[in-house]
């Protein structure tokens, strides 16, 4: 019995031990499962975190890319340079017969200097004088030739290129038209410049320069805007034109009989160029150009009223596109401090050299040396609108005063003969040089005391501005550009003498007022000389006005702000 009890107790003890072992094993299994779950959870969280990180990085990249795209869209596109071609019949230093050649020499260089996004080039005829003086230059290149269609004929045109002071110049060659002693004054001038205008528009492909704007000057290139609105309208629809009138007296007038034969215009173009029963090229250019300018604000007003040489009605109808921009001068070239032609240079702070240049000028022209005798001068074309009839009227009376008089210029025979006779009759007082000679001109500007400009009309005038640079006091009639550039010293702080009425006695009285100040008020005269030299006639302001004009045309074409 006891053995059975003992055996049961042992079995019970073994079962309890086994149950305890099983329970511990279950705990271990549960712990392992819990650890596995925890590890699995941690792994999932890690994967989720990594996934979230990648997504965040991708989103950041997308955002950065989007910002870059937006920045690119916001960044302004670089503008293409505006291409402008000056079409002219003369340009210094290659060829120049007057003010236009000097203007077109200085303006493009100034424009390039102040506007880096403008490509400006010049095209002109290859005259005999250009060939003789510049044809052998090392940088004068022959680009080739082509035929220019004009009416019923096909005409040879050679193309030369030269670069000077950063400006590219093209010269169009045809010996029949341009291998002559002078630029103008021939019976076939109309045909010569019709060929030149048509050739300008024909060679654009050869020179690989199709301009946004062609800036044409005076009647010799008036056909450029006319052709672009008529026979070549479909070929160059994007080219805009600016036409500048340097002197409206010269209009390019011809018989209607040669509308097609010489100019190559169709009968349906008749109304564009016809005016008062003849062809008037300037009238056609006024009608056809996109912008019309002249060379001073006052002249722009005058030609619309009574100074337009019969074109006043046309100018009034086109007044909306007309503006006046006063010319400037090359103040580096016309500089008494650096001018190599002067025997002694001088400045606003040192005027002593002026007297030495006066003495040399008197000797050069064969006049007696007289340091305190008023030396009056004229440097001009000898034509009617320069007001020379006023001087002819008063010359004998003026020479009764104790003065000297110099003249440099060429022009109408009646004026050349008159001043030649005065020089013969008054050799101690009058000396003349019937010539166009810029080198002597600078000596006159530097040595004379007063510059006479009694113009009946004056689009702008350069002589009065050059005279101021050299402390030679201008005596001018208040008209056109003379009115815009000279202030009367008798009515405040001025740089010269002005008179309003176109009258010989008024002109004489103005001269004698100036002589009186020069003779009896030496300090006042020296102050006037300094005030004249302070006048700012640089091209910069005028060039900016032209740039605004060009930009306005570009804005019209593109329809966007520039």
């Amino acid at each position: 019995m006891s053995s059975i009890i003992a055996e049961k107790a042992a079995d019970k003890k073994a079962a309890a031990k086994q149950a305890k072992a099983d329970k511990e094993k279950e705990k271990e299994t549960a712990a392992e499962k819990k650890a596995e779950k925890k590890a699995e959870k941690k792994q999932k969280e890690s994967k989720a975190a990594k996934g979230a990180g990648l997504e965040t990085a991708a989103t950041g990249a997308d955002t950065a890319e989007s910002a870059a795209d937006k920045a690119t869209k916001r960044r302004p596109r670089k503008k293409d340079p505006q291409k402008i071609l000056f079409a002219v019949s003369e340009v210094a230093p290659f060829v120049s017969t007057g003010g236009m050649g000097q203007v077109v020499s200085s303006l493009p260089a100034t424009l390039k200097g102040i506007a880096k996004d403008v490509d400006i080039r010049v095209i002109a005829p290859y005259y005999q004088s250009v060939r003789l003086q510049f044809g052998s230059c090392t940088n004068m290149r022959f680009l080739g030739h082509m035929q220019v269609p004009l009416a019923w004929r096909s005409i040879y045109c050679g193309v030369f290129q030269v670069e000077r002071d950063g400006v590219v110049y093209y010269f169009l060659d045809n010996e029949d038209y341009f291998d002559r002693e002078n630029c103008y004054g021939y019976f076939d001038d109309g045909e010569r410049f019709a060929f030149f205008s048509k050739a300008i528009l024909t060679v654009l492909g050869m020179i690989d320069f199709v301009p946004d704007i062609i800036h044409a000057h005076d009647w010799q290139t008036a056909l450029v805007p006319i052709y672009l609105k008529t026979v070549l309208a479909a070929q160059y629809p994007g080219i805009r034109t600016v036409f500048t009138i340097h002197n409206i007296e010269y209009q390019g007038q011809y018989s209607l009989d040669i509308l097609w034969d010489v100019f190559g215009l169709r009968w349906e173009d008749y109304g564009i160029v016809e005016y008062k029963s003849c062809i008037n090229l300037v009238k056609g250019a006024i009608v056809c150009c996109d912008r019309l300018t002249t060379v001073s604000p006052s002249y722009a007003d005058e030609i619309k009223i009574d100074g337009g040489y019969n074109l006043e009605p046309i100018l009034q109808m086109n007044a909306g596109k007309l503006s006046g921009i006063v010319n400037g001068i090359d103040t580096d070239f016309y500089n008494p401090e650096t001018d190599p032609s002067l025997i002694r240079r001088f400045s606003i702070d040192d005027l002593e050299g002026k007297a030495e240049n006066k003495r040399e000028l008197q000797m050069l022209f064969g006049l007696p040396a007289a340091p305190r005798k008023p030396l009056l001068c004229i440097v001009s074309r000898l034509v009617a609108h320069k007001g020379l009839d006023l001087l002819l009227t008063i010359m004998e009376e003026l020479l009764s005063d104790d003065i000297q008089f110099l003249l440099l210029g060429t022009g109408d025979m009646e004026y050349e003969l008159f001043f030649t006779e005065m020089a013969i009759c008054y050799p101690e007082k009058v000396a003349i040089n019937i010539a166009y000679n810029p080198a002597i001109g600078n000596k006159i500007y530097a040595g004379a005391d007063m510059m006479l400009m009694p113009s009946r009309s004056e689009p702008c005038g350069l002589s009065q501005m050059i005279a101021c640079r050299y402390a030679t006091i201008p005596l001018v009639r208040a008209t056109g550009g003379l009115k815009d550039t000279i202030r009367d010293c008798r009515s405040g702080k001025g740089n010269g003498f002005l008179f309003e009425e176109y009258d010989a006695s008024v002109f004489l009285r103005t001269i004698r007022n100036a002589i009186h100040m020069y003779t009896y008020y030496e300090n006042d005269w020296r102050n006037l000389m300094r005030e004249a030299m302070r006048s700012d006639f640089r091209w910069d302001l005028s060039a900016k006005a032209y740039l605004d004009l060009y930009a306005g045309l570009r804005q019209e074409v593109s329809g966007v702000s520039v």
Side-chain angles (χ1 to χ4, degrees):
M1 180 81 180
S2 59
S3 60
I4 294 171
I5 294 170
E7 189 177 335
K8 284 184 180 180
D11 290 341
K12 192 175 182 181
K13 188 176 181 180
K17 190 176 181 181
Q18 183 64 43
K20 186 179 180 181
D22 291 342
K23 194 172 183 180
E24 287 178 359
K25 191 173 182 180
E26 285 178 2
K27 284 182 181 180
E28 287 177 4
T29 302
E32 285 177 3
K33 287 183 178 180
K34 188 176 182 181
E36 286 177 2
K37 285 182 180 180
K38 191 174 182 180
E40 187 177 353
K41 183 179 180 182
K42 194 172 182 181
Q43 189 176 12
K44 285 180 179 179
E45 287 176 353
S46 177
K47 286 182 179 180
K50 286 181 181 178
L54 289 170
E55 187 177 348
T56 302
T59 303
D62 290 343
T63 304
E65 186 178 352
S66 177
D69 289 343
K70 288 178 181 176
T72 302
K73 289 176 183 177
R74 284 197 301 267
R75 190 182 301 128
R77 272 174 47 189
K78 188 176 180 181
K79 291 185 297 185
D80 293 330
Q82 190 171 26
K83 294 182 287 187
I84 299 165
L85 182 65
F86 275 57
V88 294
S89 61
E90 58 183 77
V91 54
F94 303 99
V95 58
S96 179
T97 65
M100 182 174 68
Q102 296 180 51
V103 167
V104 180
S105 170
S106 301
L107 180 54
T110 306
L111 289 168
K112 282 188 73 74
I114 65 176
K116 303 304 180 186
D117 59 343
V118 174
D119 186 354
I120 297 180
R121 307 185 189 186
V122 181
I123 194 163
Y126 193 59
Y127 295 111
Q128 180 187 97
S129 59
V130 178
R131 176 175 56 81
L132 293 176
Q133 294 182 59
F134 299 94
S136 59
C137 292
T138 55
N139 61 340
M140 179 72 81
R141 297 191 299 120
F142 178 65
L143 299 183
H145 66 88
M146 61 192 312
Q147 296 298 117
V148 174
L150 183 64
W152 49 270
R153 55 209 181 280
S154 180
I155 309 170
Y156 168 89
C157 178
V159 184
F160 291 82
Q161 176 185 315
V162 66
E163 186 170 339
R164 183 183 176 93
D165 298 330
V167 178
V168 174
Y169 296 85
Y170 301 103
F171 292 96
L172 303 187
D173 173 44
N174 180 284
E175 290 186 1
D176 289 340
Y177 290 139
F178 300 131
D179 193 16
R180 307 183 188 187
E181 184 177 355
N182 301 310
C183 297
Y184 318 118
Y186 298 99
F187 75 95
D188 61 344
D189 277 357
E191 182 175 345
R192 295 170 69 222
F193 291 105
F195 161 76
F196 175 58
S197 297
K198 193 69 179 295
I200 290 170
L201 301 171
T202 305
V203 304
L204 295 180
M206 173 186 285
I207 64 177
D208 194 25
F209 186 77
V210 178
D212 300 301
I213 295 171
I214 297 181
H215 190 157
H217 297 259
D218 267 358
W219 77 265
Q220 294 90 344
T221 56
L223 276 162
V224 171
I226 294 171
Y227 285 146
L228 284 171
K229 284 293 193 293
T230 56
V231 293
L232 295 178
Q235 186 172 344
Y236 295 113
I239 296 179
R240 296 295 180 266
T241 56
V242 176
F243 182 65
T244 292
I245 298 171
H246 292 264
N247 190 339
I248 202 167
E249 184 176 356
Y250 306 104
Q251 299 177 3
Q253 294 172 287
Y254 296 95
S255 168
L256 285 167
D257 297 337
I258 58 174
L259 180 72
W260 162 253
D261 189 55
V262 169
F263 298 117
L265 292 171
R266 305 160 302 193
W267 186 248
E268 55 262 39
D269 305 321
Y270 163 89
I272 290 174
V273 296
E274 187 277 334
Y275 193 65
K276 296 187 180 297
S277 300
C278 73
I279 291 171
N280 188 309
L281 298 180
V282 169
K283 181 260 183 177
I286 292 171
V287 171
C288 291
C289 70
D290 297 290
R291 288 289 185 278
L292 176 65
T293 74
T294 191
V295 289
S296 71
S298 291
Y299 192 62
D301 292 335
E302 291 168 3
I303 61 177
K304 288 185 293 185
I305 301 169
D306 58 3
Y309 287 86
N310 296 318
L311 283 176
E312 292 90 347
I314 304 299
L315 289 159
Q316 288 166 16
M317 286 188 287
N318 290 272
K321 58 184 177 183
L322 172 63
S323 60
I325 302 174
V326 71
N327 284 336
I329 58 172
D330 185 341
T331 53
D332 291 327
F333 181 79
Y334 296 112
N335 186 352
E337 297 184 56
T338 59
D339 192 334
S341 70
L342 306 189
I343 191 170
R344 178 176 167 184
R345 296 165 191 172
F346 59 96
S347 70
I348 194 170
D349 298 317
D350 178 17
L351 290 170
E352 297 308 313
K354 179 81 173 172
E356 290 190 35
N357 283 286
K358 180 176 181 177
R359 184 165 55 250
E360 190 211 19
L361 185 61
Q362 290 167 326
M363 182 175 66
L364 180 66
F365 275 82
L367 293 172
R372 287 301 302 156
K373 185 174 290 189
L375 178 55
L376 285 59
C377 73
I378 285 182
V379 178
S380 173
R381 285 186 298 116
L382 307 181
V383 292
H385 79 265
K386 295 294 184 180
L388 296 176
D389 56 316
L390 297 186
L391 188 58
L392 267 60
T393 303
I394 66 169
M395 193 70 178
E396 295 276 1
E397 188 175 353
L398 179 61
L399 291 174
S400 67
D401 295 345
D402 191 19
I403 67 159
Q404 292 177 335
F405 176 81
L406 288 178
L407 179 140
L408 173 68
T410 62
D412 294 346
M413 185 65 70
E414 61 173 305
Y415 299 121
E416 291 184 1
L417 290 175
F418 174 82
F419 289 113
T420 300
E421 184 179 349
M422 289 292 102
I424 294 170
C425 295
Y426 299 91
E428 299 292 304
K429 290 190 170 187
V430 179
I432 67 167
N433 187 339
I434 303 297
Y436 174 76
N437 192 324
I440 294 178
N442 277 24
K443 291 181 179 293
I444 294 175
Y445 289 122
D449 297 306
M450 305 170 204
M451 169 75 65
L452 306 183
M453 297 184 70
S455 302
R456 182 187 303 155
S457 65
E458 192 66 60
C460 180
L462 300 178
S463 292
Q464 80 280 12
M465 294 188 264
I466 301 169
C468 285
R469 287 285 288 166
Y470 289 86
T472 295
I473 304 305
L475 280 62
V476 307
R477 181 167 171 264
T479 183
L482 302 178
K483 182 180 179 180
D484 292 333
T485 55
I486 301 302
R487 307 178 307 277
D488 196 310
C489 63
R490 295 168 294 181
S491 58
K493 203 171 186 180
N495 56 356
F497 289 81
L498 275 77
F499 66 99
E500 294 278 349
E501 191 176 355
Y502 190 76
D503 181 89
S505 61
V506 176
F507 180 36
L508 180 60
R509 186 162 61 248
T510 303
I511 296 173
R512 284 178 166 166
N513 284 339
I515 292 171
H516 184 76
M517 179 189 286
Y518 175 87
T519 305
Y520 298 106
Y521 299 93
E522 188 173 350
N523 286 337
D524 290 345
W525 189 264
R526 290 179 77 83
N527 288 335
L528 177 56
M529 290 165 68
R530 291 191 177 94
E531 191 62 33
M533 295 184 78
R534 287 190 193 98
S535 304
D536 187 358
F537 298 126
R538 291 174 300 167
W539 264 108
D540 295 47
L541 289 176
S542 301
K544 287 175 183 174
Y546 279 111
L547 287 173
D548 290 342
L549 190 76
Y550 302 148
L553 270 179
R554 189 179 199 182
Q555 185 173 349
E556 279 184 14
V557 174
S558 63
V560 296
S561 152
V562 292

